[in-house]
Coordinates of all heavy atoms in Angstrom, one line a residue:
M28 N 178.7 -31.7 287.1 CA 177.8 -30.7 286.7 C 178.0 -29.5 287.7 O 178.3 -29.7 288.9 CB 176.3 -31.2 286.9 CG 175.9 -32.1 285.7 SD 174.2 -32.4 285.7 CE 174.0 -33.6 287.0
P29 N 177.8 -28.3 287.3 CA 178.1 -27.1 288.1 C 177.0 -27.0 289.2 O 175.9 -27.4 289.1 CB 178.0 -25.9 287.1 CG 177.3 -26.4 285.9 CD 177.5 -27.9 285.9
T30 N 177.4 -26.3 290.3 CA 176.6 -26.0 291.4 C 176.6 -24.5 291.6 O 177.7 -23.9 291.5 CB 177.0 -26.7 292.7 OG1 177.0 -28.2 292.4 CG2 176.2 -26.4 293.9
V31 N 175.5 -23.9 291.9 CA 175.5 -22.5 292.2 C 174.6 -22.2 293.5 O 173.6 -22.9 293.7 CB 174.9 -21.7 291.0 CG1 173.4 -22.0 290.7 CG2 175.1 -20.2 291.2
H32 N 175.1 -21.2 294.2 CA 174.4 -20.8 295.4 C 173.7 -19.4 295.1 O 174.4 -18.5 294.6 CB 175.3 -20.6 296.6 CG 174.7 -20.1 297.9 ND1 174.9 -18.8 298.3 CD2 173.8 -20.7 298.7 CE1 174.2 -18.7 299.4 NE2 173.5 -19.8 299.7
L33 N 172.4 -19.3 295.3 CA 171.7 -18.1 295.0 C 171.1 -17.4 296.2 O 170.5 -18.1 297.1 CB 170.6 -18.4 294.0 CG 171.0 -19.0 292.7 CD1 169.7 -19.5 291.9 CD2 171.8 -18.1 291.8
I34 N 171.1 -16.1 296.3 CA 170.4 -15.3 297.3 C 169.5 -14.4 296.4 O 170.0 -13.6 295.6 CB 171.2 -14.5 298.2 CG1 172.1 -15.4 299.0 CG2 170.4 -13.6 299.1 CD1 171.4 -16.3 300.1
I35 N 168.2 -14.6 296.5 CA 167.2 -13.8 295.7 C 166.6 -12.8 296.7 O 166.0 -13.1 297.7 CB 166.1 -14.7 295.1 CG1 166.8 -15.7 294.1 CG2 165.1 -13.8 294.3 CD1 166.9 -17.0 294.6
K36 N 166.8 -11.5 296.3 CA 166.3 -10.4 297.2 C 165.1 -9.7 296.5 O 164.9 -9.7 295.3 CB 167.4 -9.4 297.4 CG 168.6 -10.0 298.1 CD 169.7 -8.9 298.4 CE 170.7 -9.5 299.3 NZ 170.2 -9.6 300.7
G37 N 164.3 -9.0 297.4 CA 163.1 -8.3 296.9 C 161.9 -8.8 297.6 O 162.0 -9.4 298.7
K38 N 160.7 -8.7 297.0 CA 159.5 -9.2 297.6 C 159.4 -10.6 297.1 O 158.8 -10.9 296.0 CB 158.3 -8.4 297.1 CG 157.0 -8.9 297.7 CD 155.8 -8.2 297.2 CE 154.5 -8.9 297.6 NZ 153.4 -8.5 296.9
V39 N 160.0 -11.5 297.8 CA 160.2 -12.9 297.4 C 159.6 -13.9 298.4 O 159.6 -15.1 298.1 CB 161.6 -13.3 297.0 CG1 162.1 -12.5 295.8 CG2 162.5 -13.0 298.2
Q40 N 159.1 -13.5 299.5 CA 158.5 -14.3 300.5 C 157.0 -14.0 300.5 O 156.5 -12.9 300.3 CB 159.0 -14.2 301.9 CG 160.5 -14.7 302.0 CD 161.0 -14.8 303.4 OE1 160.3 -14.6 304.4 NE2 162.3 -15.0 303.5
G41 N 156.2 -15.1 300.6 CA 154.7 -14.9 300.6 C 154.1 -14.8 299.2 O 153.0 -14.4 299.0
V42 N 154.9 -15.2 298.2 CA 154.5 -15.2 296.8 C 154.6 -16.5 296.1 O 154.7 -16.6 294.9 CB 155.2 -14.0 296.0 CG1 154.8 -12.7 296.6 CG2 156.7 -14.3 296.0
S43 N 154.8 -17.6 296.9 CA 155.0 -19.0 296.4 C 156.2 -19.1 295.6 O 156.3 -19.9 294.7 CB 153.8 -19.4 295.5 OG 152.6 -19.4 296.3
F44 N 157.3 -18.4 296.0 CA 158.5 -18.5 295.3 C 159.1 -19.9 295.4 O 159.6 -20.4 294.4 CB 159.5 -17.4 295.8 CG 160.7 -17.1 294.8 CD1 160.7 -15.9 294.1 CD2 161.7 -18.0 294.6 CE1 161.7 -15.6 293.2 CE2 162.7 -17.7 293.7 CZ 162.7 -16.5 293.0
R45 N 159.2 -20.4 296.6 CA 159.8 -21.7 296.8 C 159.1 -22.8 296.0 O 159.7 -23.6 295.4 CB 159.8 -22.0 298.3 CG 160.8 -21.1 299.1 CD 160.7 -21.4 300.6 NE 159.3 -21.2 301.1 CZ 158.8 -21.6 302.2 NH1 159.6 -22.4 303.0 NH2 157.6 -21.4 302.5
M46 N 157.8 -22.8 296.1 CA 157.0 -23.8 295.4 C 157.2 -23.8 293.9 O 157.5 -24.8 293.2 CB 155.5 -23.7 295.7 CG 154.7 -24.8 295.0 SD 152.9 -24.5 295.2 CE 152.7 -22.9 294.3
N47 N 157.2 -22.5 293.4 CA 157.5 -22.4 291.9 C 158.9 -22.6 291.5 O 159.2 -23.2 290.4 CB 157.0 -21.0 291.5 CG 155.5 -20.8 291.4 OD1 155.0 -21.3 290.4 ND2 154.9 -20.2 292.3
A48 N 159.8 -22.3 292.4 CA 161.3 -22.6 292.1 C 161.4 -24.1 292.1 O 162.2 -24.7 291.2 CB 162.2 -22.0 293.2
K49 N 160.8 -24.9 293.0 CA 160.9 -26.3 292.9 C 160.3 -26.9 291.6 O 160.9 -27.7 291.0 CB 160.2 -27.0 294.1 CG 160.2 -28.5 294.1 CD 159.6 -29.1 295.3 CE 159.7 -30.6 295.3 NZ 159.3 -31.2 296.5
R50 N 159.2 -26.4 291.2 CA 158.5 -26.8 290.0 C 159.4 -26.5 288.8 O 159.6 -27.4 287.9 CB 157.2 -26.1 289.8 CG 156.4 -26.5 288.6 CD 155.0 -25.9 288.5 NE 154.2 -26.2 289.6 CZ 153.5 -25.4 290.4 NH1 153.6 -24.1 290.1 NH2 152.8 -25.8 291.4
M51 N 160.0 -25.3 288.8 CA 160.9 -25.0 287.7 C 162.2 -25.9 287.7 O 162.6 -26.4 286.6 CB 161.3 -23.5 287.7 CG 162.2 -23.0 286.7 SD 161.6 -23.3 285.0 CE 160.2 -22.1 285.0
A52 N 162.7 -26.1 288.9 CA 163.9 -26.9 289.0 C 163.7 -28.3 288.5 O 164.5 -28.9 287.7 CB 164.4 -26.9 290.4
L53 N 162.6 -28.9 288.9 CA 162.3 -30.3 288.5 C 162.1 -30.3 287.0 O 162.5 -31.3 286.3 CB 161.0 -30.8 289.2 CG 161.2 -31.0 290.7 CD1 159.9 -31.4 291.4 CD2 162.3 -32.0 291.0
S54 N 161.5 -29.3 286.4 CA 161.3 -29.3 284.9 C 162.6 -29.2 284.2 O 162.7 -29.6 283.0 CB 160.3 -28.2 284.5 OG 161.0 -26.9 284.5
K55 N 163.6 -28.7 284.8 CA 165.0 -28.5 284.2 C 166.0 -29.6 284.7 O 167.2 -29.4 284.4 CB 165.5 -27.1 284.5 CG 164.7 -26.0 284.1 CD 164.8 -25.8 282.6 CE 163.9 -24.6 282.1 NZ 163.8 -24.6 280.7
N56 N 165.5 -30.6 285.4 CA 166.4 -31.6 286.0 C 167.5 -31.0 286.9 O 168.6 -31.4 286.9 CB 167.0 -32.5 284.9 CG 166.0 -33.3 284.1 OD1 165.1 -33.8 284.7 ND2 166.1 -33.3 282.8
I57 N 167.1 -30.0 287.7 CA 168.0 -29.4 288.6 C 167.7 -30.0 290.0 O 166.6 -30.2 290.4 CB 167.7 -27.8 288.7 CG1 167.8 -27.2 287.4 CG2 168.5 -27.2 289.8 CD1 169.2 -26.9 286.9
T58 N 168.8 -30.3 290.7 CA 168.7 -30.8 292.1 C 169.2 -29.8 293.0 O 170.0 -28.9 292.7 CB 169.4 -32.1 292.2 OG1 170.8 -31.9 291.9 CG2 168.9 -33.2 291.3
G59 N 168.8 -29.9 294.3 CA 169.3 -29.0 295.3 C 168.2 -28.7 296.3 O 167.4 -29.5 296.6
W60 N 168.1 -27.4 296.8 CA 167.1 -27.0 297.8 C 166.8 -25.5 297.7 O 167.6 -24.8 297.1 CB 167.5 -27.4 299.2 CG 168.9 -27.0 299.6 CD1 170.0 -27.8 299.6 CD2 169.3 -25.7 300.1 NE1 171.1 -27.1 300.1 CE2 170.7 -25.8 300.4 CE3 168.7 -24.5 300.3 CZ2 171.5 -24.7 300.8 CZ3 169.4 -23.4 300.8 CH2 170.8 -23.5 301.0
V61 N 165.7 -25.1 298.3 CA 165.3 -23.7 298.4 C 164.7 -23.5 299.8 O 164.1 -24.4 300.3 CB 164.3 -23.4 297.3 CG1 163.0 -24.2 297.4 CG2 163.9 -21.9 297.3
K62 N 165.0 -22.3 300.3 CA 164.4 -22.0 301.6 C 164.3 -20.5 301.7 O 165.0 -19.7 301.1 CB 165.2 -22.5 302.8 CG 166.6 -21.9 302.9 CD 167.3 -22.5 304.1 CE 168.7 -21.9 304.4 NZ 169.3 -22.5 305.5
N63 N 163.4 -20.0 302.6 CA 163.3 -18.6 303.0 C 164.4 -18.3 304.1 O 164.8 -19.2 304.8 CB 162.0 -18.3 303.7 CG 160.9 -18.3 302.6 OD1 161.1 -18.1 301.5 ND2 159.6 -18.4 303.1
T64 N 164.9 -17.1 304.1 CA 165.9 -16.7 305.1 C 165.2 -15.8 306.1 O 164.2 -15.2 305.8 CB 167.1 -16.0 304.5 OG1 166.7 -14.7 304.0 CG2 167.7 -16.8 303.3
D65 N 165.9 -15.7 307.2 CA 165.3 -14.8 308.3 C 165.4 -13.3 307.8 O 164.7 -12.5 308.3 CB 166.1 -14.9 309.6 CG 165.9 -16.3 310.2 OD1 164.9 -17.0 309.9 OD2 166.8 -16.7 311.0
E66 N 166.2 -13.0 306.8 CA 166.4 -11.6 306.4 C 165.3 -11.2 305.3 O 165.2 -10.1 304.9 CB 167.7 -11.4 305.7 CG 168.9 -11.5 306.7 CD 169.3 -13.0 307.0 OE1 168.9 -13.9 306.2 OE2 169.9 -13.2 308.1
G67 N 164.4 -12.2 305.0 CA 163.4 -11.9 304.0 C 163.7 -12.3 302.6 O 163.0 -12.0 301.6
D68 N 164.9 -13.0 302.4 CA 165.3 -13.4 301.0 C 164.9 -14.8 300.8 O 164.4 -15.5 301.7 CB 166.8 -13.2 300.9 CG 167.3 -11.8 301.2 OD1 166.6 -10.8 300.9 OD2 168.4 -11.7 301.8
V69 N 165.2 -15.3 299.6 CA 165.1 -16.7 299.3 C 166.5 -17.2 299.0 O 167.2 -16.5 298.2 CB 164.1 -17.0 298.1 CG1 164.2 -18.4 297.6 CG2 162.7 -16.7 298.5
E70 N 166.9 -18.4 299.5 CA 168.2 -18.9 299.3 C 168.0 -20.3 298.6 O 167.2 -21.0 298.9 CB 168.9 -19.2 300.6 CG 170.3 -19.8 300.5 CD 170.9 -19.9 301.9 OE1 170.3 -19.8 302.9 OE2 172.1 -20.3 301.9
I71 N 168.9 -20.5 297.6 CA 168.8 -21.7 296.7 C 170.2 -22.2 296.5 O 171.2 -21.5 296.3 CB 168.2 -21.4 295.4 CG1 166.7 -20.9 295.5 CG2 168.3 -22.6 294.5 CD1 166.1 -20.5 294.2
M72 N 170.4 -23.5 296.6 CA 171.6 -24.3 296.2 C 171.1 -25.2 295.1 O 170.1 -26.0 295.3 CB 172.1 -25.1 297.4 CG 173.5 -25.7 297.0 SD 174.8 -24.5 296.9 CE 175.1 -24.2 298.7
A73 N 171.7 -25.0 293.9 CA 171.2 -25.8 292.7 C 172.4 -26.4 292.0 O 173.4 -25.8 291.8 CB 170.4 -24.8 291.8
N74 N 172.1 -27.6 291.5 CA 173.1 -28.3 290.7 C 172.4 -28.9 289.4 O 171.3 -29.4 289.5 CB 173.6 -29.5 291.6 CG 174.6 -30.4 290.8 OD1 174.2 -31.3 290.2 ND2 175.9 -30.1 291.0
G75 N 173.1 -28.8 288.3 CA 172.5 -29.3 287.1 C 173.4 -29.0 285.9 O 174.5 -28.4 286.0
A76 N 172.9 -29.5 284.7 CA 173.7 -29.2 283.5 C 173.8 -27.7 283.3 O 172.8 -27.0 283.6 CB 172.9 -29.9 282.3
E77 N 174.9 -27.2 282.7 CA 175.1 -25.8 282.6 C 174.0 -25.0 281.9 O 173.5 -24.0 282.5 CB 176.4 -25.6 281.8 CG 176.8 -24.1 281.6 CD 177.3 -23.5 282.9 OE1 177.9 -24.2 283.7 OE2 177.0 -22.3 283.1
K78 N 173.5 -25.5 280.8 CA 172.4 -24.8 280.1 C 171.1 -24.7 281.0 O 170.5 -23.7 281.1 CB 172.1 -25.5 278.8 CG 170.9 -24.9 278.0 CD 170.7 -25.6 276.7 CE 169.7 -24.9 275.8 NZ 168.3 -25.1 276.2
N79 N 170.8 -25.9 281.6 CA 169.6 -25.9 282.5 C 169.7 -25.0 283.7 O 168.8 -24.3 284.1 CB 169.3 -27.3 282.9 CG 168.8 -28.2 281.8 OD1 168.6 -27.8 280.7 ND2 168.7 -29.5 282.0
L80 N 170.9 -25.0 284.2 CA 171.2 -24.1 285.4 C 171.1 -22.7 285.0 O 170.5 -21.9 285.7 CB 172.6 -24.5 285.9 CG 172.9 -24.1 287.4 CD1 171.9 -24.7 288.3 CD2 174.3 -24.6 287.8
Q81 N 171.6 -22.3 283.8 CA 171.5 -20.9 283.4 C 170.0 -20.5 283.2 O 169.7 -19.4 283.6 CB 172.3 -20.7 282.1 CG 173.8 -20.8 282.2 CD 174.5 -20.7 280.9 OE1 173.9 -20.7 279.8 NE2 175.8 -20.7 280.9
E82 N 169.2 -21.4 282.6 CA 167.8 -21.1 282.5 C 167.1 -21.0 283.8 O 166.2 -20.1 284.0 CB 167.1 -22.2 281.6 CG 167.6 -22.2 280.2 CD 167.1 -23.4 279.4 OE1 166.4 -24.2 279.9 OE2 167.5 -23.4 278.2
F83 N 167.5 -21.8 284.8 CA 166.9 -21.7 286.1 C 167.3 -20.4 286.8 O 166.4 -19.7 287.4 CB 167.4 -22.9 287.0 CG 166.8 -22.9 288.4 CD1 165.5 -23.2 288.6 CD2 167.7 -22.7 289.4 CE1 165.0 -23.2 289.9 CE2 167.2 -22.7 290.7 CZ 165.9 -22.9 291.0
V84 N 168.5 -20.0 286.7 CA 169.0 -18.7 287.3 C 168.2 -17.6 286.6 O 167.8 -16.6 287.3 CB 170.5 -18.6 287.2 CG1 170.9 -17.2 287.6 CG2 171.2 -19.6 288.1
A85 N 168.0 -17.6 285.3 CA 167.3 -16.6 284.6 C 165.9 -16.5 285.1 O 165.3 -15.4 285.3 CB 167.3 -16.9 283.1
W86 N 165.2 -17.7 285.4 CA 163.9 -17.7 285.9 C 163.9 -17.0 287.3 O 163.0 -16.2 287.7 CB 163.3 -19.1 286.0 CG 162.0 -19.1 286.7 CD1 160.8 -18.9 286.0 CD2 161.7 -19.2 288.0 NE1 159.8 -18.9 286.9 CE2 160.3 -19.1 288.2 CE3 162.5 -19.4 289.2 CZ2 159.7 -19.2 289.4 CZ3 161.8 -19.5 290.4 CH2 160.4 -19.4 290.5
C87 N 164.9 -17.3 288.1 CA 165.0 -16.8 289.5 C 165.1 -15.3 289.5 O 164.7 -14.6 290.4 CB 166.2 -17.4 290.2 SG 166.0 -19.1 290.7
K88 N 165.6 -14.7 288.4 CA 165.7 -13.2 288.3 C 164.4 -12.6 288.1 O 164.3 -11.4 288.3 CB 166.7 -12.9 287.2 CG 168.1 -13.2 287.5 CD 169.1 -12.9 286.4 CE 170.5 -13.2 286.8 NZ 171.5 -12.9 285.7
Q89 N 163.4 -13.3 287.7 CA 162.0 -12.8 287.6 C 161.1 -13.4 288.7 O 160.3 -12.7 289.2 CB 161.5 -13.1 286.2 CG 162.2 -12.4 285.1 CD 161.6 -12.6 283.8 OE1 160.4 -13.0 283.7 NE2 162.3 -12.2 282.8
G90 N 161.2 -14.7 288.9 CA 160.4 -15.4 289.9 C 158.9 -15.6 289.4 O 158.6 -15.3 288.3
P91 N 158.1 -16.0 290.3 CA 156.7 -16.2 290.0 C 155.9 -14.9 289.8 O 156.5 -13.8 290.2 CB 156.1 -17.0 291.2 CG 157.0 -16.6 292.3 CD 158.4 -16.4 291.7
P92 N 154.7 -14.9 289.4 CA 154.0 -13.7 289.0 C 153.9 -12.6 290.1 O 154.1 -11.4 289.7 CB 152.6 -14.2 288.7 CG 152.8 -15.6 288.2 CD 153.9 -16.1 289.0
H93 N 153.8 -12.9 291.3 CA 153.6 -11.8 292.3 C 154.9 -11.4 293.0 O 154.9 -10.5 293.9 CB 152.6 -12.3 293.4 CG 151.2 -12.4 292.8 ND1 150.5 -11.3 292.4 CD2 150.5 -13.5 292.6 CE1 149.3 -11.8 291.9 NE2 149.3 -13.1 292.0
A94 N 156.0 -12.0 292.6 CA 157.3 -11.7 293.2 C 157.8 -10.4 292.5 O 157.5 -10.1 291.4 CB 158.3 -12.8 292.9
V95 N 158.6 -9.7 293.3 CA 159.4 -8.5 292.7 C 160.8 -8.7 293.1 O 161.3 -8.4 294.2 CB 158.8 -7.2 293.4 CG1 159.6 -6.0 292.8 CG2 157.3 -7.0 293.1
V96 N 161.6 -9.3 292.2 CA 163.0 -9.6 292.4 C 163.8 -8.3 292.2 O 163.7 -7.7 291.1 CB 163.5 -10.7 291.5 CG1 165.0 -11.0 291.7 CG2 162.7 -12.0 291.8
T97 N 164.6 -7.9 293.2 CA 165.4 -6.7 293.0 C 166.9 -7.1 292.7 O 167.6 -6.2 292.2 CB 165.3 -5.8 294.2 OG1 165.7 -6.5 295.4 CG2 163.9 -5.3 294.4
N98 N 167.3 -8.3 293.2 CA 168.7 -8.6 293.0 C 168.8 -10.1 293.2 O 168.1 -10.7 294.0 CB 169.6 -7.9 294.0 CG 171.1 -8.0 293.6 OD1 171.4 -8.3 292.5 ND2 171.9 -7.7 294.6
V99 N 169.8 -10.7 292.4 CA 170.1 -12.2 292.6 C 171.6 -12.2 292.7 O 172.3 -11.8 291.8 CB 169.6 -13.0 291.4 CG1 170.1 -14.5 291.6 CG2 168.1 -13.0 291.3
L100 N 172.1 -12.7 293.8 CA 173.5 -12.9 294.1 C 173.8 -14.4 293.8 O 173.3 -15.3 294.4 CB 173.9 -12.6 295.5 CG 173.4 -11.2 296.0 CD1 173.7 -11.1 297.5 CD2 174.2 -10.1 295.3
A101 N 174.6 -14.6 292.7 CA 174.9 -16.0 292.3 C 176.4 -16.3 292.6 O 177.2 -15.5 292.1 CB 174.6 -16.2 290.8
T102 N 176.7 -17.3 293.3 CA 178.0 -17.7 293.6 C 178.3 -19.1 293.2 O 177.6 -20.0 293.7 CB 178.3 -17.6 295.1 OG1 177.9 -16.3 295.6 CG2 179.8 -17.8 295.5
P103 N 179.2 -19.4 292.3 CA 179.5 -20.7 291.9 C 180.1 -21.5 293.1 O 180.9 -20.9 293.9 CB 180.6 -20.6 290.8 CG 180.5 -19.2 290.3 CD 180.0 -18.4 291.5
K104 N 179.8 -22.7 293.2 CA 180.3 -23.6 294.3 C 181.0 -24.8 293.8 O 180.7 -25.2 292.6 CB 179.2 -24.0 295.3 CG 178.5 -22.8 296.0 CD 179.5 -22.3 297.0 CE 178.8 -21.2 297.9 NZ 179.8 -20.6 298.8
D105 N 181.8 -25.5 294.6 CA 182.3 -26.8 294.2 C 181.1 -27.7 294.0 O 180.0 -27.6 294.6 CB 183.1 -27.4 295.3 CG 184.5 -26.6 295.5 OD1 184.9 -26.0 294.5 OD2 185.0 -26.7 296.6
E106 N 181.2 -28.6 293.0 CA 180.1 -29.5 292.7 C 179.6 -30.3 293.9 O 180.4 -30.8 294.7 CB 180.5 -30.5 291.6 CG 179.4 -31.4 291.1 CD 179.8 -32.3 290.0 OE1 180.8 -32.0 289.3 OE2 179.1 -33.3 289.8
Q107 N 178.3 -30.3 294.0 CA 177.7 -31.0 295.1 C 176.7 -32.0 294.5 O 176.1 -31.7 293.5 CB 177.0 -30.1 296.1 CG 178.0 -29.2 296.8 CD 177.4 -28.3 297.9 OE1 176.4 -28.7 298.5 NE2 177.9 -27.1 298.1
Q108 N 176.5 -33.1 295.2 CA 175.5 -34.1 294.8 C 174.2 -34.0 295.6 O 174.3 -34.1 296.8 CB 176.1 -35.5 294.9 CG 175.2 -36.6 294.4 CD 175.1 -36.5 292.8 OE1 176.0 -36.1 292.1 NE2 173.9 -36.8 292.4
F109 N 173.1 -33.8 294.9 CA 171.8 -33.8 295.5 C 171.0 -34.8 294.8 O 171.2 -35.1 293.6 CB 171.1 -32.4 295.4 CG 171.9 -31.3 296.0 CD1 172.6 -30.4 295.2 CD2 171.9 -31.1 297.4 CE1 173.3 -29.3 295.8 CE2 172.6 -30.0 298.0 CZ 173.3 -29.2 297.1
Y110 N 170.0 -35.4 295.4 CA 169.2 -36.5 294.8 C 167.8 -36.0 294.4 O 167.1 -36.7 293.6 CB 169.1 -37.6 295.8 CG 170.4 -38.2 296.0 CD1 171.1 -37.9 297.2 CD2 171.1 -39.0 295.1 CE1 172.4 -38.4 297.5 CE2 172.3 -39.5 295.3 CZ 173.0 -39.2 296.5 OH 174.2 -39.7 296.7
D111 N 167.4 -34.8 294.8 CA 166.1 -34.2 294.4 C 166.2 -32.7 294.6 O 167.3 -32.2 294.9 CB 165.0 -34.9 295.2 CG 165.1 -34.6 296.7 OD1 166.0 -33.9 297.2 OD2 164.2 -35.1 297.5
F112 N 165.1 -32.1 294.5 CA 165.0 -30.6 294.8 C 164.0 -30.5 295.9 O 162.8 -30.8 295.7 CB 164.7 -29.8 293.6 CG 164.9 -28.3 293.8 CD1 166.1 -27.8 293.4 CD2 164.0 -27.5 294.3 CE1 166.4 -26.4 293.6 CE2 164.2 -26.2 294.5 CZ 165.4 -25.6 294.2
S113 N 164.4 -30.0 297.0 CA 163.5 -29.9 298.2 C 163.3 -28.5 298.7 O 164.1 -27.6 298.4 CB 164.1 -30.8 299.3 OG 165.4 -30.3 299.7
I114 N 162.2 -28.3 299.3 CA 161.9 -27.1 300.0 C 162.3 -27.3 301.5 O 161.7 -28.1 302.1 CB 160.4 -26.7 299.9 CG1 160.0 -26.5 298.4 CG2 160.1 -25.5 300.7 CD1 158.6 -26.2 298.1
E115 N 163.2 -26.5 301.9 CA 163.7 -26.6 303.3 C 162.9 -25.6 304.2 O 162.5 -24.6 303.7 CB 165.2 -26.2 303.4 CG 166.1 -27.1 302.5 CD 166.2 -28.5 303.0 OE1 166.5 -28.7 304.2 OE2 166.1 -29.4 302.2
I116 N 162.8 -26.0 305.4 CA 162.1 -25.1 306.4 C 163.1 -24.4 307.3 O 164.1 -24.9 307.7 CB 161.2 -26.0 307.3 CG1 160.2 -26.8 306.5 CG2 160.4 -25.1 308.3 CD1 159.2 -26.0 305.7

């Protein structure tokens, strides 16, 4: 299954982006992790079936209700194995 690394830019911290990303990932059978960056972005590593991954990335381009996403940088990665979807600190 494909793996993608995402950097989500905009007003994405302090709006429950990570919690909602986890909820969305679990609903799509996506594994990986999400975390805030020191630069004010959200970073995600996600692995899943192609269709589910595309839907997850599309959600990330909008985010939760109070987020204002200005850009999503998506980089395909070599397949990685994750066992769940976690919120990293």
Side-chain angles (χ1 to χ4, degrees):
M28 287 190 284
T30 301
V31 66
H32 178 253
L33 303 171
I34 299 290
I35 298 103
K36 297 184 169 289
K38 181 184 172 197
V39 293
Q40 291 190 10
V42 294
S43 299
F44 201 105
R45 292 176 299 160
M46 181 186 67
N47 282 286
K49 180 176 181 174
R50 183 177 297 130
M51 180 59 65
L53 293 174
S54 77
K55 300 287 182 190
N56 294 317
I57 302 282
T58 58
W60 50 261
V61 58
K62 69 178 183 178
N63 286 339
T64 69
D65 292 339
E66 294 80 19
D68 304 324
V69 169
E70 180 178 10
I71 297 175
M72 188 72 76
N74 176 274
E77 183 69 37
K78 180 178 186 283
N79 293 353
L80 202 53
Q81 288 176 358
E82 291 172 0
F83 179 71
V84 171
W86 177 87
C87 288
K88 290 179 179 179
Q89 294 186 15
H93 296 290
V95 179
V96 177
T97 58
N98 196 16
V99 175
L100 306 171
T102 307
K104 295 290 184 182
D105 291 334
E106 183 175 340
Q107 296 184 32
Q108 183 68 36
F109 304 102
Y110 297 100
D111 61 2
F112 194 91
S113 60
I114 297 174
E115 303 289 312
I116 304 293

